[in-house]
Amino acid sequence: KLDLSVQPLLGLAVLETGRPCRMVYTRTESMRASTKRHPAAMEATIGADHTGKVTAMTFQGDFNTGAYASWGPTVASRVPVHASGPYRTPNYRATTRAIHTNGPTAGAFRGFGVPQATICQEMLYDRLAEECGLDRLDFRRLNALCDGDATPSGQVLQAVGIVECLDALLPHWDRALAEAAAHNDDEQRGGDPVTRRGVGVASCWYGCGNTGLPNPSTIRIGITREGALRLHQGATDIGQGSNTVVTQIAADALGVAIEAFELIGPDTALTPDCGKTSASRQTFITGKAAERAGSALRAAILRRTNLTERATIDLREGSLILEEGGERRVIDLFDLAPDDHGYVLAAEETYDPPTTALDADGQGTPYAVYGYGAQMAEVEVDMALGTTRVLCITAAHDVGRAINPLLAEGQIEGGIAQGLGFALMEEYVPGRTENLHDYLIPTIGDMPEIRSILIEKADPEGPMGAKGLGEHVLIPTAPAILNAIRHASGATITQVPALPHRVLAAIREQR
């Protein structure tokens, strides 16, 4: 959705024919022409003191952007900010490059390089915890960022929910470890173990919005003479639910029922610009603009009466009814003159997160709001075949405030599905992969039980305290699965996906 594929070809066809045109790729054409996630080669070193507290980390990553830059520079700038994970890292050096090759073009993909870097960092954390003689979850809890801590970019954080996410996993962690140990003991007593179970954990953090760049959203809300309430919002809903969430926020700020709104957008002729649907920004940034517009319109309505913020607002045909403590006021909408958009009462508000660009040393405030999460994977590894079956994933994510809990759970489940494919099966081989016979994606038969835990640590910058969630949920899934494979089999996977032949090779190497 951020890269060009059919669009310029369609433009040429329209110019040539003068008629509306459409174009549909075959699966093979889609595989060849569309952008891919950036393949990455990464090296990192992490150290800790005798108490288990992380003291330093170095990270270097090359991200293959193919023949064209596309979003390679954005990936290269986002990764160093996040490669430490949501942990205190007092001494930190991270360098990245977006490199050109003659391979397929890489472009925008959920997480923008952070899922790759998190695999590297979280797998090292497991090994470092063992070196320190600490439980892997306790080690992460010990080093987790807290309110008032500074990130490697020098930004002092507030409303940090990673500790709460890790704490939410603790009872599940103890239960899963005990069950895995019992299963493995039973298998061992039967001779050579056929399957072994393991438990893995990984965390994530992710900045909401563009990295140190302006990315404003503007919302307009208006009331017509007839009493129609219209919300103009240009945020494109691609299935994540922004139409619902932004309307919910606007309704709450204005103080009316959500069903009172007529939604208009996205259309450049009808709606203000709400920016692109990427960077986990719409709930946070467009939602904040909707909150401001709803509050501004409510204030404009209340100014026409002597009622306070406690007043209720009811839309009727041709009028507004306001009530508070037995007092009642009526605003006749037909008495008011419409503006250029045809509204007699309206508000238009813009929100742009307060960020600063990173300097030459990587210091600055690249994001106004971060979201946090932690996931625990329970897997079963066939020691003879190298196959991995994910039994359950427990996911705790700090959403600030769950504007719509059902949609949040849907995001978690969808992100885990993508993360499972990333970890275990999805591999594009240039020149060979051309259909879904060669490129495997998770089906319902591959999906484990998913237990979603919503943590709400409100951020003062977010609308109603909300944080972004869209990309966050993909990030910890793959490293949690890979750490669980290592816990089960001893196999350290250094290349994803963890296909059976790679798992078997890693088991043999460990032995």
Side-chain angles (χ1 to χ4, degrees):
K1 55 191 169 61
L2 295 183
D3 290 278
L4 295 177
S5 57
V6 300
Q7 298 93 329
L9 302 176
L10 280 170
L12 290 172
V14 170
L15 287 172
E16 181 67 22
T17 64
R19 300 180 62 184
C21 298
R22 72 169 181 159
M23 180 176 180
V24 180
Y25 278 157
T26 65
R27 179 69 70 186
T28 299
E29 289 170 339
S30 176
M31 289 280 189
R32 289 176 179 172
S34 61
T35 57
K36 312 294 183 281
R37 178 185 288 283
H38 287 77
M42 299 166 291
E43 294 183 0
T45 303
I46 308 176
D49 65 18
H50 68 284
T51 68
K53 291 184 178 180
V54 170
T55 56
M57 176 178 178
T58 62
F59 175 92
Q60 198 282 321
D62 286 341
F63 290 79
N64 181 352
T65 196
Y68 299 91
S70 181
W71 294 89
T74 305
V75 166
S77 63
R78 184 176 275 269
V79 167
V81 177
H82 292 87
S84 64
Y87 307 107
R88 286 184 295 274
T89 310
N91 301 287
Y92 179 74
R93 178 176 176 81
T95 56
T96 51
R97 299 187 301 176
I99 59 173
H100 285 300
T101 68
N102 62 354
T105 302
F109 200 106
R110 194 176 195 170
F112 270 68
V114 179
Q116 297 95 301
T118 303
I119 289 176
C120 185
Q121 171 262 311
E122 285 289 340
M123 292 188 73
L124 280 177
Y125 259 53
D126 259 29
R127 292 166 57 186
L128 189 56
E130 292 174 5
E131 291 290 333
C132 293
L134 293 173
D135 173 86
R136 293 172 291 153
L137 183 62
D138 289 343
F139 177 75
R140 288 168 169 83
R141 176 66 174 76
L142 173 66
N143 289 287
L145 290 166
C146 298
D147 290 0
D149 285 339
T151 71
S153 69
Q155 181 177 356
V156 178
L157 298 174
Q158 55 184 344
V160 182
I162 185 60
V163 169
E164 289 80 355
C165 291
L166 291 167
D167 287 347
L169 294 183
L170 184 57
H172 304 277
W173 177 254
D174 293 338
R175 184 265 310 156
L177 288 175
E179 290 180 359
H183 171 88
N184 295 339
D185 286 346
D186 289 343
E187 290 279 296
Q188 192 67 46
R189 281 192 290 269
D192 289 337
V194 177
T195 64
R196 288 187 62 85
R197 289 188 180 178
V199 186
V201 65
S203 302
C204 73
W205 68 326
Y206 198 76
C208 305
N210 295 345
T211 307
L213 296 172
N215 58 144
S217 286
T218 302
I219 288 286
R220 181 189 305 131
I221 305 175
I223 302 174
T224 68
R225 278 181 165 177
E226 294 75 25
L229 176 62
R230 293 176 182 152
L231 171 64
H232 295 253
Q233 70 98 354
T236 300
D237 193 320
I238 55 171
Q240 86 283 19
S242 60
N243 283 345
T244 302
V245 168
V246 172
T247 308
Q248 281 184 269
I249 294 171
D252 194 86
L254 180 56
V256 299
I258 189 172
E259 57 266 23
F261 279 93
E262 175 187 342
L263 183 63
I264 298 176
D267 185 322
T268 54
L270 301 174
T271 58
D273 186 9
C274 282
K276 58 186 182 289
T277 296
S278 68
S280 302
R281 61 178 295 281
Q282 291 295 10
T283 294
F284 163 42
I285 298 175
T286 300
K288 186 74 170 185
E291 182 184 40
R292 287 184 169 184
S295 298
L297 182 55
R298 181 176 178 84
I301 293 170
L302 292 176
R303 280 196 297 269
R304 294 179 174 274
T305 71
N306 61 353
L307 302 181
T308 71
E309 275 292 329
R310 293 188 296 272
T312 62
I313 299 175
D314 186 21
L315 282 88
R316 304 284 177 86
E317 185 174 351
S319 65
L320 290 177
I321 310 298
L322 286 79
E323 294 186 271
E324 180 188 1
E327 292 190 59
R328 190 169 188 265
R329 299 287 186 274
V330 178
I331 299 176
D332 190 336
L333 299 176
F334 284 102
D335 290 342
L336 306 179
D339 61 14
D340 293 341
H341 299 290
Y343 296 123
V344 294
L345 289 167
E348 182 171 308
E349 292 290 332
T350 298
Y351 175 71
D352 192 7
T355 61
T356 62
L358 297 174
D359 65 17
D361 295 320
Q363 301 299 289
T365 305
Y367 312 102
V369 168
Y370 294 80
Y372 305 87
Q375 294 181 10
M376 183 191 81
E378 301 170 57
V379 309
E380 190 171 274
V381 178
D382 188 307
M383 301 295 286
L385 300 177
T387 56
T388 301
R389 182 164 68 100
V390 182
L391 306 174
C392 180
I393 291 186
T394 305
H397 284 271
D398 171 26
V399 298
R401 182 175 181 186
I403 303 296
N404 190 306
L406 187 62
L407 286 176
E409 290 180 10
Q411 284 279 39
I412 290 172
E413 291 163 5
I416 286 172
Q418 274 191 310
L420 187 146
F422 182 35
L424 297 180
M425 60 188 72
E426 297 188 44
E427 183 171 39
Y428 179 83
V429 181
R432 190 188 79 187
T433 306
E434 61 179 23
N435 54 53
L436 295 183
H437 174 74
D438 293 325
Y439 186 88
L440 302 180
I441 61 175
T443 68
I444 191 170
D446 301 300
M447 288 302 294
E449 176 187 0
I450 297 175
R451 299 170 179 169
S452 300
I453 303 170
L454 298 181
I455 305 297
E456 295 183 282
K457 189 164 184 179
D459 193 295
E461 190 66 32
M464 318 291 178
K467 304 170 182 175
L469 178 64
E471 288 164 282
H472 307 67
V473 290
L474 167 68
I475 296 169
T477 306
I481 291 172
L482 298 176
N483 282 336
I485 292 173
R486 181 173 179 270
H487 181 238
S489 65
T492 299
I493 307 300
T494 58
Q495 181 179 355
V496 292
L499 299 173
H501 70 279
R502 290 175 183 152
V503 175
L504 280 178
I507 290 173
R508 295 190 187 107
E509 182 179 349
Q510 184 271 334
R511 285 175 175 168

